[in-house]
Amino acid sequence: MLHAAVLLAAAFLAVPAQAETTRAHALRQFGAPMFGPEVAHLPHANPDAPKGGQLTMAAPGTFDSLNPLILRGVRPRTLGLISDSLMASSGWELDAAYGALAESVEVPDDRSWAVFHLRDGARWHDGKPVTAGDVVFAWDAIQAHGAPFIKSFLDKVATVAALDERRVKITLKTTGEIKPIIDFGLSMGPQPRHWWTAGGRDISKTTLEAPLGSGPYRIKAVDPGRSITYERVADYWGRDLPVARGFYNFDTVKVDFYRDDDVMFEAFKGGAYDMRMENRAQRWTIGYDFPAVTDGRVVKRVIASELPLGAQGFRFNTRRAKFADPRVREAFGQLFDFEWIQKSLLYGQYRRTTSNFPNSDFGAKGPPGPEELKLLDPYRGKLPDAVFTKAFELPKTDGTGNNRANQREALRLFKAAGWELKDGRLLNAKTGEPMSVEFLDGSGTLTRVVQPYVETLRRAGIDANLRIVDTAQYEKLTDDFDFDVVVANFNFFSPPGTELRSYFGSAAADVPGSANYAGIREPVADALIETIIAAKDLETLQAATRALDRVLLWGHYMVPHWYNPETWVAAWDKFGWPEKNAKYDMGFRNNGFPINWWVDPAKAAKLGR
């Protein structure tokens, strides 16, 4: 029950000037929270939704661990159903958070520390209370064994200490910043110290034993690598919180794992599971023509959202010498024929990604404006001149598949970077080494898109191939940065903040398991990231994210793909859901779990499910 970015409480705004500390139920970074402490439930929840029934879902790949904190192992993404965080988002604001495990947060005027006050009734599934010591235990485990991406949200926290059973104090490395306190509240959940330290358990190692949780579900059954089943906790301590009431309505949630995407879809058609989020335009356009759709037993939903999205694209591993020159990376971009892919494979359903922050106001548009230039001007001579004068534009084709002009430009760029076409092969002019590139894929879902690109690269003299591995091997190779190119989709907590260090920061470039797949080491990007994190107002933050976006785009660290501002969902018609959707939350958490749906008994009986 965490998610999204957050902060600065409404109560802060009303504090007398002489006050030294403020205690508030909600935090918001810019402006006042939308919902007060009197709100009983969120607008996109049905507080009278019936509880009961089973939801069966499907997930790609496999899993080999149920340890939620460490880098090693592949975890089910639905594992968050058993957990709570200190705070949770509303779905209606991009920068606000509300008390979950913590009923309130106390913050001094200088923002040098914070005290989270835990709710008196919060308890683990074994009935023992959730304590401040459990938060400290989780913090210590993350610092010692946690995944780098998790650590990136917490790196401005110096110490975490339990003042008593219900109060946990964090001390920051900085002053004057509210966002590190917010990041801690949204991303930090406790771990049951009494459970992990009993029976020889080791939180530093992978495990397939069902961990103890405090959330709305507990793990009922585990079939390692194949399925995991959760059961609703009927007396869940937080069921009447405003951020939980009307949510988590299924008695049982089962997730089956499939190694092949086509097999997974066929299983849905056959009724093996109840709902799926579709991400293939061809399938959404022409694949849902089976009898259960035509006779109404399966319904399709299109859910629009204003939620800022992550940027998906081919990320080049610049740790490898052949991709270190930005002209080489730009040349690869020239050879990617998006217009043909959009026309032939995507059925015109997507929008081209032209920013690291698509579907938002945080990305660069047009030439840089005055506020962006104010941030960029100190780095003239260290960045391409175009950063300061031009709009970044991606190469285009006519969509026929004949992109000879782009190929000529690509070969010009390759030649400028020291690569020449000889006898149909692209070779290093000094060493004679052939240009080769391997696209690493852990699921096979993008084969239809990657393979045409591979063929185009081969026609340009490049030794290109696609390598598909299983989920565990993919995790290992990407954690160790042992790849040429991967497809990555970088989501961010809006407004963007500390996660940018893990995505684009120099310090993360050589940290195994970080999200800086490209190995970006750009001092200007580092400086702009810190400006973003320290921003005191939305205007400054947006200027800095747009400036950062320009630096990254002109560095050609990725070949951008596309995005869809809609969510496509297909479900067997046994569910109910609220008429209203949150502005920034489409209602799906933890790898597609429909947080505000319920089983409609009449529909289920009619369907026979």
Side-chain angles (χ1 to χ4, degrees):
M1 284 176 49
L2 48 133
H3 310 96
V6 293
L7 304 53
L8 209 61
F12 290 145
L13 303 178
V15 175
Q18 68 271 20
E20 294 182 358
T21 65
T22 301
R23 186 171 170 179
H25 80 287
L27 304 172
R28 190 169 186 183
Q29 189 169 0
F30 307 114
M34 182 181 295
F35 305 106
E38 76 285 351
V39 171
H41 64 86
L42 295 173
H44 59 297
N46 175 7
D48 300 317
K51 306 289 187 182
Q54 175 167 318
L55 168 69
T56 303
M57 301 169 58
T62 184
F63 68 95
D64 60 14
S65 177
L66 298 178
N67 187 325
L69 295 183
I70 65 174
L71 175 60
R72 293 177 55 205
V74 180
R75 293 166 294 282
R77 293 184 180 180
T78 48
L79 196 57
L81 291 173
I82 72 169
S83 303
D84 292 301
S85 58
L86 296 173
M87 305 192 80
S89 64
S90 72
W92 294 87
E93 305 135 292
L94 287 174
D95 60 344
Y98 294 81
L101 271 172
E103 65 179 0
S104 62
V105 188
E106 183 181 357
V107 182
D109 290 345
D110 69 357
R111 312 292 191 256
S112 62
W113 54 265
V115 173
F116 291 86
H117 295 253
L118 303 186
R119 296 184 189 274
D120 190 27
R123 62 183 184 272
W124 299 103
H125 294 155
D126 63 0
K128 296 184 182 299
V130 177
T131 69
D134 294 322
V135 180
V136 175
F137 178 75
W139 162 263
D140 290 341
I142 290 171
Q143 296 310 300
H145 315 294
F149 184 69
I150 297 176
K151 290 182 181 180
S152 72
F153 287 93
L154 307 172
D155 62 358
K156 286 198 174 184
V157 177
T159 62
V160 178
L163 301 182
D164 54 35
E165 288 292 288
R166 291 181 53 212
R167 293 185 302 153
V168 59
K169 180 179 180 178
I170 67 171
T171 304
L172 302 183
K173 300 174 183 177
T174 61
T175 59
E177 296 183 47
I178 191 71
K179 190 164 178 61
I181 299 171
I182 298 162
D183 287 345
F184 188 90
L186 285 176
S187 60
M188 193 69 192
Q191 287 295 319
R193 178 175 53 183
H194 68 280
W195 186 86
W196 279 106
T197 55
R201 299 183 180 98
D202 188 344
I203 201 168
S204 70
K205 297 180 179 179
T206 61
T207 180
L208 285 169
E209 180 183 6
L212 181 68
S214 65
Y217 287 88
R218 62 166 61 92
I219 296 175
K220 180 181 180 180
V222 178
D223 185 355
R226 297 171 61 87
S227 71
I228 184 168
T229 303
Y230 305 87
E231 63 179 358
R232 186 172 61 85
V233 179
D235 61 348
Y236 168 49
W237 71 270
R239 61 188 179 278
D240 290 324
L241 294 179
V243 293
R245 192 176 179 196
F247 296 157
Y248 311 112
N249 299 310
F250 307 108
D251 277 353
T252 305
V253 178
K254 183 181 181 184
V255 185
D256 293 320
F257 288 78
Y258 294 81
R259 294 178 182 269
D260 184 273
D261 183 64
D262 290 326
V263 171
M264 185 163 67
F265 180 58
E266 291 301 318
F268 175 72
K269 292 166 63 176
Y273 59 97
D274 295 318
M275 57 84 64
R276 60 179 280 115
M277 299 175 71
E278 186 56 68
N279 58 10
R280 284 175 55 174
Q282 179 195 42
R283 184 182 288 155
W284 185 251
T285 304
I286 63 174
Y288 286 81
D289 59 352
F290 51 96
V293 175
T294 56
D295 64 21
R297 287 176 294 147
V298 167
V299 294
K300 296 170 65 179
R301 294 185 66 193
V302 176
I303 305 172
S305 172
E306 298 179 41
L307 179 70
L309 301 174
Q312 178 177 294
F314 295 114
R315 309 275 175 172
F316 291 88
N317 186 356
T318 63
R319 302 170 188 85
R320 300 195 165 173
K322 58 189 174 183
F323 303 126
D325 192 316
R327 293 170 295 188
V328 168
R329 303 192 296 269
E330 183 180 0
F332 274 97
Q334 288 285 340
L335 294 171
F336 184 65
D337 192 345
F338 170 77
E339 284 69 30
W340 181 86
I341 290 173
Q342 170 80 310
K343 177 181 176 181
S344 303
L345 302 178
L346 303 180
Y347 289 78
Q349 298 278 6
Y350 288 86
R351 301 178 188 178
R352 183 78 193 268
T353 296
T354 58
S355 164
N356 287 278
F357 307 102
N359 207 47
S360 80
D361 291 327
F362 301 110
K365 297 179 179 69
E371 296 304 314
E372 295 170 63
L373 288 173
K374 188 184 300 183
L375 295 171
L376 292 168
D377 276 340
Y379 306 107
R380 286 186 183 271
K382 298 180 180 179
L383 297 170
D385 291 341
V387 171
F388 303 91
T389 59
K390 297 181 179 179
F392 181 83
E393 295 183 357
L394 294 167
K396 295 182 179 180
T397 71
D398 60 9
T400 64
N402 180 1
N403 60 342
R404 292 178 183 175
N406 298 59
Q407 183 168 328
R408 286 194 297 269
E409 176 61 13
L411 292 175
R412 184 192 69 78
L413 289 164
F414 278 126
K415 187 173 183 178
W419 298 83
E420 295 183 344
L421 191 64
K422 294 183 179 179
D423 299 324
R425 302 181 71 200
L426 190 65
L427 306 175
N428 187 294
K430 292 183 178 179
T431 66
E433 172 196 1
M435 172 59 79
S436 64
V437 60
E438 180 180 83
F439 295 85
L440 182 67
D441 187 357
S443 66
T445 56
L446 287 174
T447 299
R448 294 174 59 256
V449 172
V450 178
Q451 197 58 46
Y453 187 32
V454 166
E455 297 301 327
T456 298
L457 296 177
R458 288 173 178 171
R459 289 194 294 271
I462 298 169
D463 181 11
N465 69 87
L466 169 62
R467 179 186 179 192
I468 301 175
V469 298
D470 63 32
T471 306
Q473 191 175 6
Y474 181 83
E475 294 277 351
K476 171 65 175 172
L477 291 170
T478 53
D479 285 346
D480 293 341
F481 307 124
D482 186 9
F483 60 85
D484 282 348
V485 181
V486 293
V487 173
N489 188 338
F490 285 166
N491 290 314
F492 59 92
F493 294 134
S494 185
T498 52
E499 71 276 12
L500 300 177
R501 291 184 182 133
S502 185
Y503 291 154
F504 310 122
S506 298
D510 293 318
V511 177
S514 85
N516 189 348
Y517 298 120
I520 298 170
R521 297 180 184 85
E522 172 51 71
V524 178
D526 293 335
L528 290 170
I529 289 170
E530 296 310 309
T531 301
I532 292 166
I533 293 171
K536 298 296 191 296
D537 58 77
L538 184 59
E539 292 73 21
T540 299
L541 187 146
Q542 288 176 331
T545 58
R546 292 165 185 167
L548 173 66
D549 197 22
R550 294 183 192 280
V551 171
L552 297 172
L553 290 171
W554 285 101
H556 300 283
Y557 295 105
M558 73 166 172
V559 174
H561 280 190
W562 49 85
Y563 71 95
N564 185 359
E566 300 173 334
T567 294
W568 299 332
V569 183
W572 287 84
D573 191 18
K574 71 172 193 176
F575 300 106
W577 46 72
E579 294 182 4
K580 182 178 292 187
N581 293 317
K583 185 175 182 180
Y584 301 113
D585 184 353
M586 290 167 282
F588 301 98
R589 307 276 178 83
N590 300 296
N591 200 38
F593 174 76
I595 190 173
N596 58 354
W597 290 19
W598 62 88
V599 171
D600 183 311
K603 288 183 177 180
K606 181 180 179 180
L607 195 61
R609 294 174 69 87

